[in-house]
Amino acid sequence: MNGLITFLEQKVSPMANRIGGQRHMLAIRKGIIATLPLTLVGAFFVIFLNFPIPAVAEMLTPYLTVLDIPYRFTVGVLALYAAFGIASALAQSYKLDTLTAGIVAVMSFLATSIQPVRLFEDVQVTEVQTQVVAAGRYLNIAQLGAQSLFGAIVTAIISVEIYRFMKEKNITIKMPEGVPPEVSNSFAALFPAGANLLLFWGIRHVIGFDINATLSNIIMPMQDFLAGNSLLGGLVTVFLICFFWVLGIHGPAIMGPVIRPFWESSIAENMDAFAAGTPASQMPNMFTEMFLQWFVWIGGAGATFALICLFLTSKSSYLKELGRIGFLPGIFNINEPIIFGAPIVMNPTLAIPFILSPLVMTVIAYVATITNIVPMTVSRTVFTVPSPIGAMMVTNWHIMAAVLVVVNFFVSLVIYYPFFKVFEKQLMESEKEGEK
């Protein structure tokens, strides 16, 4: 076991840190996380669009068109906001003007997203409307949603790299000293903006190559595996996040750049389907981030709330005190005091249930979902909501979601218990030696 720990410390952990700290990976993670407030607000309106109480739903029916607008301009154009956020984060790492980089990235993304729409012959439209649509002066916001998220990532990164390259090669307009920085930055970005526009306009509208559709077709199988309905994909995700935590590395920080675009796309697809009237039991994606957050990460990654409760009953004075310290944060799914305080990091005794428990809970939640005991997730909420309440909120207030949380909690309690007793015994022996 000591050899394994040494191998993880010397070989695996440094490599994982390098991947998680890579400039472009960090920019993707920061940019997508920056859209979180908008998706949370959009999720709030999804509930109104499909209110679980029939009487209230009927009362809201005349206002559904109006209630749909906040959702369409938050979650519905998620990729547009992500393009700005990713470009700004990447530009900041290069010490470029973040505002200019974000605006240029949005322009580049729009140039690849907007396309002329062919009207059906039987649709009655005016000649002016026909000319407007044919000229591409019609913006279909459906092309700016989750399905174009990967296109937004690519265009944002390329646009910033072009901006950086041209600035390093002095292919810019330099203003005299004394000119306000905002004016100087605007002129400095003139050539990069023009180069980006010509590049992405040429690719999409001259050559006719659809970047967004191509990337979606290439990446969709991976999304279906990791954030769709594949049990194996869900287990792989859970295992890797817990495994990195055991190494002392923030699991979501490492997995985030890879898995978060899939998570965002998956929950956005579910929210779109639910807003369109699809029942919560028939959503396109099961393994969204919200599925893991509320049915698996009870108390935080590794389902450590059960361990906290066991600590509170411990004969070890240290573990009992740690349980008291970690109890309140654990209710709100914050478990760093336990992960680093017990510690679980590089601790073989607790690392095993820390990984095993979430894997078992994932299987139980999967079975409960495919048997329609619990519906799929149709909205999102902040991770600090206590688990039973959060689970009901994201499943359109289904009571069985809270029941599943309780069942999984007791399952994790059973799995943690024997390992807790072994660890408790080890600590009590140490405490006795310390007293002597």
Side-chain angles (χ1 to χ4, degrees), residues 26 59 62 76 102 104 123 130 134 171 189 219 225 237 276 288 301 351 364 374 382 394 412 418:
L26 280 176
M59 183 181 67
V104 172
V123 177
T130 303
I171 310 175
I219 296 174
F225 178 69
T237 302
T288 64
I364 294 173
V374 175
V382 292
V394 300
S412 62

Side-chain angles (χ1 to χ4, degrees), residues 69 72-73 76-78 138-145 147:
I69 293 174
R72 292 299 163 194
F73 286 94
V77 290
L78 175 67
Y138 168 81
L139 179 61
N140 181 5
I141 64 170
Q143 298 167 355
L144 308 179
Q147 69 271 24

Side-chain angles (χ1 to χ4, degrees), residues 330-349:
I331 291 177
F332 299 101
N333 306 303
I334 299 170
N335 65 346
E336 279 81 356
I338 302 301
I339 290 177
F340 296 103
I344 293 173
V345 174
M346 292 298 177
N347 181 344
T349 306

Side-chain angles (χ1 to χ4, degrees), residues 245 250 252 293-294 296-309 311 322-342 344 354 382-387:
W245 269 120
H250 194 288
Q293 176 63 58
W294 302 119
V296 180
W297 307 141
I298 301 173
T304 53
F305 192 66
L307 186 61
I308 291 173
C309 294
F311 282 175
L322 183 61
R324 290 170 180 165
I325 293 172
F327 183 77
L328 187 60
I331 291 177
F332 299 101
N333 306 303
I334 299 170
N335 65 346
E336 279 81 356
I338 302 301
I339 290 177
F340 296 103
I344 293 173
F354 184 83
V382 292
F383 77 95
T384 50
V385 177
S387 291

